[in-house]
Amino acid sequence: MSPPVREGIVRVLIETLRLTKDRDRVQIADIASSARTTESFARKALTNARIEPDTNWISLSAGFRIGLALDIARAGRLRDSARALTWQEFEKFVEECLGEAGFQTEKNVRVQGGGRAWQIDVVGIRGDVMITMDCKHWNTPGYLSKFRLAAKHQRNATLHLLAKPVEKMLQGDRERQALPVILTLSEPRDQLSEGVVLVSVEKLPSFLSGVTPYDENLPLISSSLAVVENPMSQSN
């Protein structure tokens, strides 16, 4: 497949994902127009992506939208793929990306601590590493100060999770290294805030592949440190 044809197909898929974000059905003609291609080319691209049109219309289930987003991401258009999702779909998309990177995952993890409930969008475990992910599906702020409140929340939630592990995900007495992360749609100006890593969705695959429990450059939190640090004192 020549690069221009491949690019045209990816463009059709991106526009299909974007246009079906807030609509139950979309006309193929509208997809073709947004993708700057012909209707016949768009129809062929959709058919190759296992999307069967109903005459001149298509509709996508929630599950199929996630699968399509992953296909677009594998074609190198991670950011475009993520932007075309709803924030709820974005969390599921991130969970799937963690799964493809070899992590055992759970979404919307809740833990009690410090007199309140804490929620983490996605938790992933691979070996002795636990990643706690806060998925920010909004325009990335230009200033680090905009991340501080969210970063403090993410670190505290991670500390409480380590101190009171979710049994179905964390079994036994193994020492784990946890890494609190905020995932953004665009590249943040800084890579750290309040002991939390800031990562853009475009860099997520390479970031996940490089995470180890022995990386001294990452603000990893050990499960023993979580007990010693006692996040209850920071929860206000």
Side-chain angles (χ1 to χ4, degrees):
M1 184 184 299
S2 67
V5 172
R6 178 179 171 82
E7 176 59 27
I9 291 173
V10 173
R11 201 163 56 239
V12 167
L13 299 183
I14 291 172
E15 291 306 313
T16 299
L17 196 62
R18 186 180 67 82
L19 292 173
T20 56
K21 181 177 179 179
D22 301 312
R23 292 186 247 174
D24 292 333
R25 296 202 310 161
V26 175
Q27 285 190 307
I28 295 176
D30 291 338
I31 294 172
S33 177
S34 295
R36 304 187 305 279
T37 189
T38 64
E39 190 171 336
S40 62
F41 183 90
R43 187 181 295 273
K44 184 176 181 180
L46 293 170
T47 300
N48 289 340
R50 306 177 306 282
I51 301 173
E52 294 300 329
D54 178 11
T55 60
N56 295 318
W57 296 79
I58 66 155
S59 60
L60 302 181
S61 66
F64 198 96
R65 279 178 52 80
I66 297 298
L68 184 60
L70 290 168
D71 286 342
I72 295 169
R74 294 185 192 105
R77 302 289 290 273
L78 246 163
R79 182 181 175 186
D80 291 324
S81 179
R83 283 187 175 277
L85 298 172
T86 66
W87 67 265
Q88 297 97 330
E89 290 172 333
F90 183 52
E91 291 181 4
K92 180 63 177 174
F93 174 78
V94 172
E95 183 184 24
E96 294 292 331
C97 288
L98 281 163
E100 290 197 357
F103 287 81
Q104 177 190 354
T105 64
E106 185 169 343
K107 195 159 68 74
N108 296 327
V109 174
R110 292 175 173 84
V111 63
Q112 294 288 330
R116 57 163 288 181
W118 303 81
Q119 179 173 318
I120 300 172
D121 291 339
V122 183
V123 174
I125 294 174
R126 185 178 65 194
D128 294 331
V129 174
M130 174 201 296
I131 289 182
T132 62
M133 195 79 71
D134 183 13
C135 306
K136 294 300 186 188
H137 195 258
W138 32 251
N139 290 328
T140 304
Y143 299 96
L144 186 61
S145 60
K146 297 291 186 180
F147 284 106
R148 283 179 183 151
L149 185 61
K152 287 179 180 179
H153 179 280
Q154 189 68 3
R155 180 174 171 81
N156 283 339
T158 302
L159 286 165
H160 283 295
L161 181 63
L162 278 175
K164 300 178 181 179
V166 180
E167 289 198 12
K168 65 180 176 179
M169 291 196 65
L170 305 175
Q171 299 178 355
D173 298 322
R174 295 176 64 181
E175 176 80 7
R176 292 194 186 276
Q177 302 290 326
L179 184 63
V181 175
I182 293 178
L183 186 68
T184 64
L185 287 179
S186 302
E187 185 67 23
R189 293 183 62 178
D190 297 275
Q191 280 69 55
L192 285 173
S193 177
E194 306 295 328
V196 175
V197 179
L198 310 180
V199 180
S200 70
V201 69
E202 284 182 301
K203 292 185 177 178
L204 182 60
S206 60
F207 173 76
L208 293 177
S209 67
V211 171
T212 75
Y214 314 108
D215 192 335
E216 296 180 353
N217 295 315
L218 293 175
L220 292 157
I221 308 168
S222 69
S223 52
S224 58
L225 176 61
V227 178
V228 173
E229 190 166 336
N230 186 6
M232 291 177 66
S233 64
Q234 306 177 24
S235 59
N236 294 326

